[in-house]
Amino acid sequence: MANLPLSFTEYTRQLMGDERFERYLQSFEEEAPVSIRLNPKKVGSERGERREERGERREERGERVPWCRNAYYLPQRPNFTMDPLLHAGCYYVQEAASMFLDEVLRQHLPQHQLTALDLCAAPGGKSTLLAAALPADSVLYSNEPVRQRANILLENVTKWGYPNHTVTNAYPEVYRKSKCHFDLILCDVPCSGEGMFRKDEATIREWSPQNVDRCWQLQRSIVSDAWACLNPGGLLIYSTCTFNTKENEENVRWFLETFDDAEILPVDVRPEWHITGSLLPGFDAPVYRFIPGITRSEGLFMCVMRKRGERDIRGTRCEVRGTRLPSSAVLSAKELFSYLAPRTSHLEKEGASKKNVPRTSHLDNSELPCIDLPYPLAIAYLRGEALVLPPDTPRGIVTVTFMGHPLGQVKNIGTRANNLYPKEWRIKTTHVPQEYEPVLK
């Protein structure tokens, strides 16, 4: 059993009640569930869904996460680092509760072209889910204020490989000052992390009542900036990975009192999902809690708000001005201001040739010759090693693939192929498994 802070256990037991809290404590003695979400652009699950409709099972892929399309629980945690398909963006390792966003989008997302913003997006799980769920030709901005985390976000977004997706590095107030507007804003805000105690012991050491107070105040500031950027008729999805009501129900109540044009939207959920509603006495608005030991997940709180009014598509969209913008670069706050304007196009292909931009072929570089690598060479490539390719491989820039999925590029000079995989993305371990153990089967 984890050594939980006394002030946390006293408060949370009172909040949840004895029975629910004891089930939560019991979860620390259980294996945390492992789940992945497939990239429908690269792998998809339509074939598997058709097989299930015929009564066939996909036991080898695992049990489906019921509130998310293309998502599965795995029977145990594999060595994801050594799976080239992870690096190719074929799937994303994501905690199951976070995937509840997919159910929200399925029920409430308009089916027309949208402009969306993930305001606190690193490391990129919810952003990649958004990218796959948005209607065709929609535009998504994924923002992270901390530069180092923004670089991790950029890696995951680039590997996921969706067009019209830009990573920015700015504080929320920059978006507010830009007077740019969005049809959908996700605020997965920084929080005290109580819902991740089972998964990450570091969050236990960092927790304190003082940090809870800092978090709920910061969260109100973030959502206030976001609300100013939301189009009438637009959706704002608020989420945390914590339990206390200060960061959850009390914040939502404050949002409703502060924003006269805000309303909460319900989400239809099934009883067998074991999702908990509001725990704040006297506040019965539709909010959704995932509690370890009750739901098959870590902790999450989510609420969906809509800004009343009709969407005005004239001059409210936040998109890129002038030349085509590569998604394989992080926009700073200053650069963000210079790019905000009515829509042109987001094509990453042009950006791929710019200096200091990682050479990857997760995007559309279909005009390049391709060479498929066996598993040992794929791992060597991901570790940054030079390769020796078959003698008939064309000279120059070549895309290397694994099982047909692009990993990146090399420069083939004949005697060897120089590795162009970004240094910061490379596998650091020197261990190489004897055999490939695929996660996707």
Side-chain angles (χ1 to χ4, degrees):
M1 176 68 66
N3 187 21
L4 301 176
L6 179 61
S7 56
F8 166 79
T9 58
E10 291 177 342
Y11 171 86
T12 309
R13 179 181 290 275
Q14 182 180 16
L15 175 68
M16 293 184 180
D18 286 340
E19 180 181 355
R20 189 180 285 127
F21 186 70
E22 288 299 325
R23 292 174 66 183
Y24 165 65
L25 291 181
Q26 182 61 35
S27 73
F28 285 83
E29 307 299 325
E30 303 166 355
E31 285 290 329
V34 180
S35 49
I36 62 171
R37 179 171 41 79
L38 308 186
N39 187 337
K41 182 178 180 182
K42 298 184 178 184
V43 179
S45 65
E46 292 182 1
R47 181 182 176 188
E49 289 173 354
R50 288 196 298 268
R51 289 180 61 182
E52 289 178 359
E53 289 172 2
R54 296 197 304 265
E56 300 176 28
R57 296 286 295 171
R58 292 280 302 195
E59 299 294 350
E60 72 275 15
R61 183 165 281 179
E63 182 181 344
R64 296 187 63 152
V65 177
W67 48 78
C68 182
R69 295 162 288 189
N70 307 318
Y72 297 85
Y73 292 106
L74 301 182
Q76 64 264 338
R77 189 175 190 88
N79 187 346
F80 289 116
T81 300
M82 289 301 176
D83 185 4
L85 294 183
L86 172 68
H87 301 275
C90 292
Y91 64 93
Y92 193 96
V93 183
Q94 187 173 25
E95 201 284 305
S98 295
M99 301 182 196
F100 184 61
L101 175 63
D102 188 66
E103 185 67 31
V104 171
L105 297 174
R106 179 158 38 180
Q107 294 186 28
H108 290 296
L109 197 66
Q111 291 306 304
H112 54 68
Q113 187 184 40
L114 301 171
T115 303
L117 169 65
D118 186 353
L119 196 52
C120 311
K126 292 184 177 69
S127 271
T128 54
L129 191 157
L130 267 174
L134 287 171
D137 298 322
S138 294
V139 173
L140 174 59
Y141 281 73
S142 293
N143 179 70
E144 171 53 48
V146 180
R147 181 71 193 201
Q148 184 177 5
R149 287 170 55 82
N151 289 334
I152 296 171
L153 171 64
L154 172 66
E155 176 182 352
N156 289 325
V157 162
T158 304
K159 289 178 176 179
W160 200 245
Y162 277 67
N164 302 344
H165 195 169
T166 298
V167 172
T168 63
N169 172 222
Y171 286 100
E173 65 181 25
V174 172
Y175 274 95
R176 175 177 55 81
K177 291 178 180 178
S178 75
K179 301 188 183 303
C180 189
H181 290 79
F182 299 86
D183 304 307
L184 170 68
I185 301 179
L186 172 61
C187 293
D188 185 39
V189 292
C191 69
S192 59
E194 297 165 355
M196 305 304 289
F197 281 0
R198 177 174 67 163
K199 184 179 179 181
D200 184 1
E201 289 188 6
T203 59
I204 301 176
R205 297 190 295 270
E206 295 166 359
W207 185 92
S208 69
Q210 295 76 20
N211 190 39
V212 171
D213 288 338
R214 285 192 294 269
C215 285
W216 69 254
Q217 294 175 67
L218 174 62
Q219 291 154 3
R220 293 185 183 186
S221 174
I222 291 172
V223 173
S224 295
D225 286 332
W227 197 258
C229 298
L230 188 64
N231 275 331
L235 297 178
L236 188 146
I237 302 172
Y238 176 79
S239 64
T240 74
C241 58
T242 202
F243 298 134
N244 69 80
T245 62
K246 289 183 178 181
E247 299 177 71
N248 295 326
E249 286 94 337
E250 293 178 58
N251 265 354
V252 173
R253 184 173 61 188
W254 185 86
F255 301 151
L256 294 175
E257 293 170 349
T258 303
F259 310 133
D260 294 336
D261 50 359
E263 62 179 345
I264 295 185
L265 301 181
V267 180
D268 292 332
V269 299
R270 298 180 181 179
E272 62 266 27
W273 297 352
H274 303 293
I275 298 174
T276 304
S278 174
L279 295 178
L280 179 65
F283 186 78
D284 58 358
V287 297
Y288 305 91
R289 289 174 170 276
F290 291 68
I291 301 174
I294 298 173
T295 48
R296 193 177 176 186
S297 69
E298 304 307 321
L300 178 86
F301 175 92
M302 188 169 285
C303 174
V304 185
M305 294 186 291
R306 179 182 180 273
K307 179 180 277 191
R308 295 189 185 93
E310 296 298 322
R311 177 178 183 261
D312 183 358
I313 64 172
R314 296 171 299 175
T316 60
R317 303 190 67 189
C318 176
E319 304 187 29
V320 172
R321 172 193 352 250
T323 59
R324 295 168 178 174
L325 174 68
S327 70
S328 47
V330 178
L331 290 186
S332 66
K334 181 178 179 181
E335 292 167 330
L336 177 62
F337 263 116
S338 70
Y339 278 109
L340 298 184
R343 186 182 185 199
T344 55
S345 61
H346 289 230
L347 294 180
E348 299 84 351
K349 188 160 53 175
E350 181 171 318
S353 64
K354 293 179 179 291
K355 291 183 179 180
N356 303 321
V357 172
R359 280 192 176 273
T360 67
S361 54
H362 305 90
L363 308 173
D364 182 13
N365 281 315
S366 56
E367 74 277 7
L368 295 175
C370 295
I371 183 73
D372 203 59
L373 301 178
Y375 179 69
L377 280 185
I379 293 297
Y381 173 75
L382 294 170
R383 289 171 56 182
E385 300 174 10
L387 305 179
V388 176
L389 300 179
D392 59 347
T393 303
R395 301 290 181 95
I397 305 299
V398 175
T399 295
V400 293
T401 64
F402 178 72
M403 298 178 67
H405 296 285
L407 296 174
Q409 296 168 353
V410 296
K411 184 175 183 180
N412 186 33
I413 59 175
T415 55
R416 70 176 187 278
N418 294 330
N419 199 315
L420 300 179
Y421 196 64
K423 291 182 179 179
E424 60 273 20
W425 297 2
R426 294 175 180 176
I427 295 175
K428 303 299 190 295
T429 180
T430 58
H431 169 72
V432 178
Q434 294 293 322
E435 296 181 358
Y436 176 51
E437 298 180 5
V439 173
L440 303 181
K441 299 178 181 178

